[in-house]
Amino acid sequence: MPDTIRTAPSVTRKDLFHLPDGVIYLDGNSLGPLPKSVTARTQAMMTDEWGEMLIRGWNGAGWFAQPGRLGDRIGRLIGAPEGTVMVGDTLSIKVYQALAAALALRPDRRVVLSDSGNFPTDLYMARGLLELLGDDYELRVVAPEEAAGAIGPDVAAVMLTEVDYRTGRRHDMAGITRAAQEAGAVMIWDLAHSAGAFPVDLEGSGCEFAVGCTYKYLNGGPGAPAFIYVRPDLADVAAPTLQGWLGHDAPFAFDLDYRPAGGIARMRVGTPPVIQMTALEEALGVWDGVAMTEVRAAAVALMEQFIADVEARCPQLTLASPRDPEARGSQVSFRFDEGYAAMQALIERGVIGDFRAPDIMRFGFTPLYLDADDVTAAVDVLETVLRDELWQDPKYKARAAVT
Amino acid sequence: MPDTIRTAPSVTRKDLFHLPDGVIYLDGNSLGPLPKSVTARTQAMMTDEWGEMLIRGWNGAGWFAQPGRLGDRIGRLIGAPEGTVMVGDTLSIKVYQALAAALALRPDRRVVLSDSGNFPTDLYMARGLLELLGDDYELRVVAPEEAAGAIGPDVAAVMLTEVDYRTGRRHDMAGITRAAQEAGAVMIWDLAHSAGAFPVDLEGSGCEFAVGCTYKYLNGGPGAPAFIYVRPDLADVAAPTLQGWLGHDAPFAFDLDYRPAGGIARMRVGTPPVIQMTALEEALGVWDGVAMTEVRAAAVALMEQFIADVEARCPQLTLASPRDPEARGSQVSFRFDEGYAAMQALIERGVIGDFRAPDIMRFGFTPLYLDADDVTAAVDVLETVLRDELWQDPKYKARAAVT
């Protein structure tokens, strides 16, 4: 690999994270680790705010404004202006909301275009929505490489996840958005594997909607809330569809009729989970003073090192990710027929990645808490597991509920 | 009031709750207080589970099974059998899911019947759903006392909140459910102000769906997740509509097509907020060994004392709640033209209730952490605020974001 890649500046700030002894964590693309200060902050929120302020915390402790405040902080990491991102609910819910709003903008069209590399829940939620809308609506799922070419004049919305959760293959966000809009379709990006992984230029892309989650590269904790972005010119137009009381223009007037709030606030639904939101708010502090371009450069260096070392030392594995780093997110996947068992053997030896059916071993690269020495150590273990066929042990073949 | 009511056995367990000094908390119907053990449990979950187990927590710490486990615990408090209640999302989302499932069961009918005493978000969510379904669907909102009589042969679903959030007026759950079903409609109950307030016999009522929240009488913390109940015979039939990946029959097969899980698991949507769920799980411990019938008897005693004392000492106020305790939930409301300012004056003096437009002063009665002496002390303060017109101070008239 080029020396310039090997020498990308370090952005490692391991001291900010709780990292278990003896573990090399290559699964931050699934669940980020605990930022150390989150525990104390969340405890203080419970004792000093919930405990002492009780109901008064909604105003006095800023709980009511928290979802928008968090949206603005996430916006800075994904190229979205202030007031265009709202945090809440789960990614499945936010996908539903974005797609319903997109379809309302194109009432004369009936096709939602997506690809088979999308995360299944996006497709499931879309199907549920289209079933309500009626038989003439269609979810058209094509291969990822065919997505851009499949945007015909009947397509109301293009709904894609930028980075494929299995292979790490990355779509051309600007190019596909342009193609969608030239065909008169609305563009929705799912940034689940993008936010916090590399620079995203949402505003520059011109896409109408984006959604994402905060428990992967943003380290918000298991089940941390999702976010939704609405392009500024649509903020007062987009239909919330899931029109909960906190998206009302005057929630405490308790009108019987719904009247959406101006701007991104209309994408709020019900009462936000304040404890979980507070954990996320504190977790976002690890990004203070971090340049996403430097995170990306460091991640590419780690990935290039990993690919080169694995290909040199583990001939049993086949690269499943794009070789060109520009075409890849912040993960590297290899195919191996016994990938499930091999991953269990790795995990037992402290190298935590994960497995995606049918045969993908997935490794995430998160330079805030991973460095080149970690990568070297991980490949050492991987080489041993494969060379000595440690995955043959029957105990590694029993499937767990969550894989 | 009858002596038998005054002498209801105490169920007070104040030692289990974090109750601020100098505060009498009559707003547990809006946000329950912090059970003391929640902070340590939640901290341990973050450090020992998220921090140490990382992604392995989904299996190893039982996070994956948590929403159903919590559902079963809540089920025991609301008369629902095991495997019929699922926890997740917000109440707004669960209302949407229940109503969509109800309408799918009555494809030939087009009317949703609700009442003007329903919490507005239920009506807003319904309107959003009906707009997707098309122009021939109608949300019909009648006065609460007219609900039972308005269930005609065109009604697909009756959707009511058992206890009116303003007045505490309680519907006849068994009677209205019977009327709905005799008319061929599906019954949905919102138990926001019921669960943890008094005995609920969901199974006995025969209703098809119920939803509720856990941050009021169940003390789960601000924004604690909601729950949904599906009658057992419908569990494998009901359409989830918001069909997220965790409600899939095999979520980790990552199929492109959705196939709902058997039973209540299909009502799961996205990744659950584990920190918030853990706080709720610990909070539910305060109910161990508590008989809901005794909680109800104690609550009625406190409410009867409060009404009698307020009517004797505060002639400025007019009772807005039903006088018959059987027709009332676990709150008492009084009307007062300057109710907003008077409530602010009360809060500043440590008596915390809340206000609902246009003129309702609302007081919740939660005998796990309130006793007769608290009620006496609260009325003392209320009498002073009203007699001396302390609410006239201009500082009490400025409206806060959350009222």
Side-chain angles (χ1 to χ4, degrees), chain B residues 289-352:
Chain B
V290 172
M292 198 58 81
T293 49
E294 293 182 5
V295 170
R296 175 61 176 173
V300 168
L302 295 175
M303 289 192 287
E304 295 306 286
Q305 175 192 344
F306 185 72
I307 292 172
D309 290 355
V310 170
E311 292 196 323
R313 296 164 58 188
C314 308
Q316 303 87 345
L317 302 189
T318 307
L319 184 66
S321 296
R323 193 165 293 278
D324 174 9
E326 289 306 302
R328 195 196 314 135
S330 209
Q331 69 174 70
V332 172
S333 300
F334 282 94
R335 291 188 194 280
F336 180 52
D337 282 347
E338 295 291 342
Y340 181 83
M343 186 54 75
Q344 305 319 306
L346 270 181
I347 291 171
E348 191 169 279
R349 286 159 183 79
V351 177
I352 301 182

Coordinates of all heavy atoms in Angstrom, one line a residue, chain B residues 289-352:
Chain B
G289 N -44.9 -7.8 45.0 CA -45.6 -8.0 46.3 C -46.7 -7.0 46.5 O -47.3 -7.0 47.6
V290 N -47.0 -6.2 45.6 CA -48.1 -5.2 45.7 C -49.4 -5.7 45.1 O -49.3 -6.1 43.9 CB -47.7 -3.8 45.1 CG1 -48.8 -2.8 45.1 CG2 -46.4 -3.2 45.8
A291 N -50.5 -5.6 45.8 CA -51.8 -6.0 45.2 C -52.4 -4.7 44.6 O -52.6 -3.7 45.3 CB -52.7 -6.6 46.3
M292 N -52.7 -4.8 43.4 CA -53.3 -3.6 42.7 C -54.6 -3.2 43.3 O -55.0 -2.0 43.4 CB -53.4 -3.8 41.2 CG -53.6 -2.6 40.4 SD -52.2 -1.4 40.5 CE -51.0 -2.2 39.4
T293 N -55.4 -4.2 43.9 CA -56.6 -3.8 44.5 C -56.3 -2.9 45.8 O -57.1 -2.0 46.1 CB -57.4 -5.1 45.0 OG1 -56.4 -5.9 45.7 CG2 -57.9 -5.8 43.8
E294 N -55.3 -3.2 46.5 CA -54.9 -2.4 47.6 C -54.4 -1.0 47.2 O -54.7 0.0 47.9 CB -53.9 -3.1 48.5 CG -54.5 -4.3 49.1 CD -53.5 -5.1 50.0 OE1 -52.4 -4.5 50.3 OE2 -53.8 -6.1 50.5
V295 N -53.7 -0.9 46.1 CA -53.3 0.4 45.6 C -54.5 1.2 45.3 O -54.6 2.4 45.6 CB -52.4 0.2 44.3 CG1 -52.2 1.5 43.6 CG2 -51.1 -0.5 44.7
R296 N -55.5 0.6 44.6 CA -56.7 1.3 44.3 C -57.4 1.8 45.5 O -57.9 2.9 45.6 CB -57.6 0.4 43.4 CG -58.9 1.0 43.1 CD -58.8 2.3 42.3 NE -60.1 2.8 41.9 CZ -60.3 4.0 41.3 NH1 -59.3 4.7 41.0 NH2 -61.5 4.3 40.9
A297 N -57.6 0.9 46.5 CA -58.3 1.3 47.7 C -57.6 2.5 48.4 O -58.2 3.5 48.8 CB -58.4 0.1 48.7
A298 N -56.3 2.4 48.4 CA -55.5 3.5 49.1 C -55.7 4.8 48.2 O -55.8 5.9 48.8 CB -54.1 3.1 49.2
A299 N -55.6 4.7 46.9 CA -55.8 5.9 46.1 C -57.1 6.5 46.2 O -57.3 7.8 46.3 CB -55.5 5.5 44.6
V300 N -58.2 5.7 46.3 CA -59.5 6.2 46.5 C -59.6 7.0 47.8 O -60.1 8.1 47.9 CB -60.6 5.1 46.4 CG1 -61.9 5.6 46.9 CG2 -60.6 4.6 44.9
A301 N -59.0 6.4 48.9 CA -59.0 7.1 50.2 C -58.3 8.4 50.1 O -58.8 9.4 50.6 CB -58.3 6.2 51.2
L302 N -57.2 8.5 49.4 CA -56.5 9.8 49.3 C -57.3 10.8 48.5 O -57.4 12.0 48.8 CB -55.1 9.6 48.6 CG -54.1 8.7 49.4 CD1 -52.8 8.5 48.5 CD2 -53.7 9.4 50.7
M303 N -57.9 10.3 47.4 CA -58.7 11.2 46.6 C -59.9 11.7 47.3 O -60.2 12.9 47.2 CB -59.1 10.5 45.3 CG -58.0 10.3 44.3 SD -58.5 9.8 42.6 CE -59.1 8.1 43.0
E304 N -60.6 10.9 48.1 CA -61.8 11.3 48.8 C -61.4 12.3 49.9 O -62.1 13.3 50.1 CB -62.5 10.1 49.4 CG -63.1 9.1 48.4 CD -64.0 9.8 47.3 OE1 -65.1 10.2 47.7 OE2 -63.5 10.0 46.2
Q305 N -60.3 12.1 50.5 CA -59.8 13.1 51.5 C -59.5 14.4 50.8 O -59.9 15.5 51.3 CB -58.5 12.5 52.2 CG -57.9 13.5 53.1 CD -56.5 13.1 53.5 OE1 -56.1 11.9 53.4 NE2 -55.7 14.0 54.1
F306 N -58.8 14.3 49.7 CA -58.4 15.6 49.0 C -59.7 16.4 48.5 O -59.8 17.6 48.8 CB -57.6 15.2 47.8 CG -57.0 16.4 47.0 CD1 -56.0 17.2 47.5 CD2 -57.5 16.7 45.7 CE1 -55.5 18.2 46.8 CE2 -57.0 17.8 45.0 CZ -56.0 18.6 45.6
I307 N -60.6 15.7 47.9 CA -61.9 16.4 47.5 C -62.6 17.0 48.6 O -63.0 18.2 48.6 CB -62.8 15.4 46.7 CG1 -62.1 15.0 45.4 CG2 -64.1 16.0 46.4 CD1 -62.9 13.9 44.6
A308 N -62.7 16.2 49.7 CA -63.5 16.8 50.9 C -62.8 18.0 51.4 O -63.4 19.0 51.7 CB -63.6 15.6 51.9
D309 N -61.5 17.9 51.6 CA -60.7 19.0 52.2 C -60.7 20.2 51.3 O -60.9 21.4 51.8 CB -59.3 18.6 52.5 CG -59.3 17.5 53.7 OD1 -60.3 17.3 54.3 OD2 -58.2 17.0 54.0
V310 N -60.5 20.0 50.0 CA -60.4 21.1 49.1 C -61.8 21.8 49.0 O -61.9 23.1 49.1 CB -60.0 20.7 47.7 CG1 -60.2 21.8 46.7 CG2 -58.5 20.3 47.7
E311 N -62.9 21.0 48.9 CA -64.2 21.7 48.8 C -64.5 22.4 50.1 O -65.2 23.4 50.1 CB -65.2 20.6 48.5 CG -65.0 20.1 47.1 CD -66.2 19.3 46.5 OE1 -66.8 18.6 47.3 OE2 -66.5 19.5 45.3
A312 N -64.0 21.9 51.2 CA -64.3 22.6 52.5 C -63.5 23.9 52.7 O -63.9 24.9 53.2 CB -64.0 21.7 53.7
R313 N -62.3 23.9 52.1 CA -61.3 25.0 52.4 C -61.0 25.9 51.2 O -60.4 26.9 51.4 CB -60.1 24.4 53.0 CG -60.3 23.7 54.4 CD -59.2 22.8 54.8 NE -57.9 23.5 54.9 CZ -56.7 22.9 55.1 NH1 -56.7 21.6 55.2 NH2 -55.6 23.6 55.2
C314 N -61.3 25.5 50.0 CA -61.0 26.2 48.8 C -62.2 26.5 48.0 O -62.3 25.9 46.9 CB -59.9 25.5 48.0 SG -58.4 25.0 49.0
P315 N -63.1 27.3 48.4 CA -64.3 27.5 47.6 C -64.1 28.1 46.2 O -65.0 28.1 45.4 CB -65.1 28.5 48.5 CG -64.1 29.2 49.3 CD -63.0 28.2 49.6
Q316 N -62.9 28.6 46.0 CA -62.6 29.2 44.6 C -62.6 28.1 43.5 O -62.7 28.4 42.4 CB -61.3 29.9 44.6 CG -61.1 31.0 45.7 CD -60.6 30.5 47.0 OE1 -60.7 29.3 47.3 NE2 -60.2 31.4 47.9
L317 N -62.4 26.8 44.0 CA -62.3 25.8 43.0 C -63.6 25.0 42.8 O -64.4 24.8 43.7 CB -61.2 24.8 43.5 CG -59.8 25.4 43.7 CD1 -58.8 24.2 44.0 CD2 -59.3 26.2 42.6
T318 N -63.7 24.5 41.6 CA -64.9 23.7 41.2 C -64.4 22.3 40.8 O -63.5 22.2 39.9 CB -65.6 24.3 40.0 OG1 -65.9 25.7 40.4 CG2 -66.9 23.5 39.7
L319 N -64.9 21.3 41.3 CA -64.5 19.9 41.0 C -64.8 19.6 39.5 O -65.9 19.8 39.0 CB -65.3 18.9 41.9 CG -64.9 17.4 41.7 CD1 -63.4 17.2 42.1 CD2 -65.8 16.5 42.4
A320 N -63.8 19.2 38.8 CA -64.0 18.9 37.4 C -64.0 17.3 37.2 O -64.4 16.9 36.1 CB -62.8 19.4 36.5
S321 N -63.6 16.6 38.2 CA -63.7 15.1 38.1 C -65.0 14.6 38.5 O -65.7 15.2 39.3 CB -62.6 14.5 39.0 OG -61.3 15.0 38.6
P322 N -65.3 13.4 38.1 CA -66.5 12.7 38.6 C -66.5 12.6 40.1 O -65.4 12.3 40.6 CB -66.5 11.4 37.9 CG -65.6 11.5 36.7 CD -64.6 12.5 37.1
R323 N -67.6 12.8 40.7 CA -67.6 12.7 42.2 C -67.6 11.2 42.6 O -67.0 10.9 43.7 CB -68.9 13.4 42.7 CG -68.9 13.6 44.2 CD -69.9 14.6 44.7 NE -69.7 16.0 44.2 CZ -68.8 16.8 44.8 NH1 -68.2 16.5 45.9 NH2 -68.7 18.0 44.3
D324 N -68.1 10.4 41.8 CA -68.2 8.9 42.2 C -66.8 8.3 41.9 O -66.3 8.3 40.7 CB -69.2 8.2 41.3 CG -69.2 6.7 41.4 OD1 -68.5 6.2 42.3 OD2 -69.9 6.1 40.6
P325 N -66.1 7.8 42.9 CA -64.8 7.3 42.6 C -64.7 6.2 41.6 O -63.7 6.0 40.9 CB -64.3 6.8 44.0 CG -65.4 6.9 44.9 CD -66.5 7.8 44.3
E326 N -65.8 5.5 41.5 CA -65.9 4.4 40.5 C -65.8 4.9 39.1 O -65.5 4.2 38.1 CB -67.2 3.5 40.7 CG -67.2 2.7 41.9 CD -65.9 1.8 42.0 OE1 -65.7 1.0 41.0 OE2 -65.2 1.9 42.9
A327 N -66.2 6.1 38.9 CA -66.2 6.7 37.6 C -64.9 7.6 37.3 O -64.8 8.4 36.4 CB -67.4 7.6 37.4
R328 N -63.9 7.4 38.1 CA -62.7 8.2 38.1 C -61.5 7.4 38.1 O -61.4 6.3 38.8 CB -62.8 9.1 39.3 CG -61.8 10.3 39.3 CD -61.6 10.9 40.7 NE -62.8 11.1 41.5 CZ -62.9 10.8 42.8 NH1 -61.9 10.2 43.4 NH2 -64.1 11.0 43.4
G329 N -60.4 7.8 37.5 CA -59.1 7.2 37.5 C -58.4 7.5 38.8 O -59.1 7.6 39.9
S330 N -57.1 7.8 38.8 CA -56.4 8.0 40.0 C -55.9 9.5 40.0 O -54.8 9.8 40.5 CB -55.2 7.1 40.1 OG -54.9 6.9 41.5
Q331 N -56.7 10.4 39.5 CA -56.4 11.8 39.6 C -57.7 12.6 39.9 O -58.8 12.1 39.7 CB -55.9 12.3 38.3 CG -56.9 12.3 37.2 CD -56.4 12.9 35.9 OE1 -55.6 12.4 35.2 NE2 -56.9 14.1 35.5
V332 N -57.5 13.8 40.5 CA -58.6 14.7 40.8 C -58.3 16.0 40.1 O -57.2 16.5 40.3 CB -58.8 14.8 42.3 CG1 -59.8 15.9 42.6 CG2 -59.2 13.5 42.9
S333 N -59.2 16.6 39.4 CA -59.0 17.9 38.7 C -60.0 18.9 39.3 O -61.2 18.5 39.5 CB -59.2 17.7 37.2 OG -58.2 16.8 36.7
F334 N -59.6 20.1 39.4 CA -60.5 21.2 39.7 C -60.3 22.3 38.7 O -59.2 22.5 38.1 CB -60.1 21.8 41.1 CG -60.5 21.0 42.3 CD1 -59.7 20.0 42.8 CD2 -61.8 21.1 42.8 CE1 -60.1 19.2 43.9 CE2 -62.3 20.3 43.9 CZ -61.4 19.4 44.4
R335 N -61.4 23.0 38.4 CA -61.4 24.1 37.5 C -61.2 25.4 38.3 O -61.7 25.6 39.4 CB -62.7 24.2 36.7 CG -62.9 23.1 35.8 CD -64.1 23.4 34.9 NE -64.5 22.2 34.2 CZ -63.9 21.7 33.1 NH1 -62.9 22.4 32.5 NH2 -64.3 20.6 32.5
F336 N -60.3 26.3 37.7 CA -60.1 27.6 38.3 C -59.6 28.5 37.2 O -58.7 28.1 36.4 CB -59.0 27.5 39.4 CG -58.7 28.8 40.1 CD1 -59.7 29.6 40.6 CD2 -57.4 29.2 40.2 CE1 -59.4 30.8 41.2 CE2 -57.1 30.4 40.8 CZ -58.1 31.2 41.4
D337 N -60.2 29.6 37.0 CA -59.9 30.5 35.8 C -58.4 30.8 35.8 O -57.8 30.9 34.7 CB -60.7 31.8 35.9 CG -62.1 31.6 35.4 OD1 -62.4 30.5 34.8 OD2 -63.0 32.5 35.6
E338 N -57.8 31.0 37.0 CA -56.4 31.4 37.0 C -55.6 30.1 37.4 O -54.6 30.2 38.1 CB -56.2 32.5 38.0 CG -56.8 33.8 37.6 CD -56.1 34.5 36.4 OE1 -55.0 34.1 36.1 OE2 -56.7 35.3 35.7
G339 N -56.0 29.0 36.9 CA -55.4 27.7 37.2 C -53.9 27.6 36.9 O -53.1 27.1 37.6
Y340 N -53.6 28.2 35.7 CA -52.1 28.1 35.3 C -51.2 28.8 36.4 O -50.3 28.2 36.9 CB -51.9 28.7 33.9 CG -50.5 28.6 33.5 CD1 -50.0 27.4 33.0 CD2 -49.6 29.6 33.7 CE1 -48.6 27.3 32.6 CE2 -48.2 29.5 33.4 CZ -47.8 28.3 32.9 OH -46.4 28.2 32.6
A341 N -51.6 30.1 36.7 CA -50.8 30.8 37.6 C -50.9 30.2 39.0 O -49.8 30.1 39.7 CB -51.3 32.3 37.7
A342 N -52.0 29.7 39.4 CA -52.2 29.1 40.7 C -51.3 27.9 40.8 O -50.7 27.6 41.9 CB -53.6 28.8 41.0
M343 N -51.2 27.1 39.7 CA -50.4 25.9 39.8 C -48.9 26.3 39.9 O -48.1 25.6 40.6 CB -50.6 25.0 38.5 CG -49.9 23.7 38.5 SD -50.2 22.7 40.0 CE -51.8 22.1 39.7
Q344 N -48.5 27.3 39.2 CA -47.1 27.8 39.3 C -46.8 28.2 40.7 O -45.7 27.9 41.3 CB -46.8 28.9 38.3 CG -47.1 28.6 36.9 CD -46.7 27.2 36.4 OE1 -45.6 26.8 36.6 NE2 -47.7 26.5 35.9
A345 N -47.7 28.9 41.4 CA -47.5 29.3 42.8 C -47.5 28.1 43.7 O -46.6 28.0 44.6 CB -48.7 30.2 43.2
L346 N -48.3 27.1 43.4 CA -48.2 25.8 44.2 C -46.9 25.1 44.0 O -46.2 24.7 45.0 CB -49.3 24.9 43.7 CG -50.7 24.9 44.3 CD1 -51.5 23.8 43.7 CD2 -50.6 24.7 45.8
I347 N -46.4 25.0 42.8 CA -45.2 24.3 42.5 C -44.0 25.0 43.2 O -43.2 24.4 43.8 CB -44.9 24.3 41.0 CG1 -46.0 23.3 40.3 CG2 -43.5 23.8 40.6 CD1 -46.0 23.3 38.8
E348 N -44.0 26.4 43.2 CA -42.9 27.1 43.8 C -42.9 26.8 45.3 O -41.9 26.9 46.0 CB -43.0 28.6 43.6 CG -41.8 29.3 44.0 CD -41.8 30.8 43.5 OE1 -41.4 31.0 42.3 OE2 -42.1 31.7 44.3
R349 N -44.1 26.4 45.9 CA -44.1 26.1 47.3 C -44.0 24.6 47.5 O -44.4 24.1 48.6 CB -45.4 26.7 47.9 CG -45.3 28.2 48.0 CD -46.7 28.9 48.1 NE -46.4 30.4 48.2 CZ -46.1 31.1 47.1 NH1 -46.1 30.6 45.9 NH2 -45.9 32.4 47.2
G350 N -43.6 23.9 46.5 CA -43.3 22.4 46.7 C -44.5 21.5 46.5 O -44.3 20.3 46.7
V351 N -45.6 22.0 46.1 CA -46.7 21.1 45.8 C -46.9 21.0 44.3 O -47.3 21.9 43.7 CB -48.1 21.6 46.5 CG1 -49.2 20.7 46.0 CG2 -47.9 21.6 48.0
I352 N -46.5 19.9 43.8 CA -46.4 19.7 42.3 C -47.5 19.0 41.8 O -47.7 17.8 42.0 CB -45.0 19.0 41.9 CG1 -43.9 19.8 42.4 CG2 -45.0 18.9 40.4 CD1 -42.5 19.3 42.1

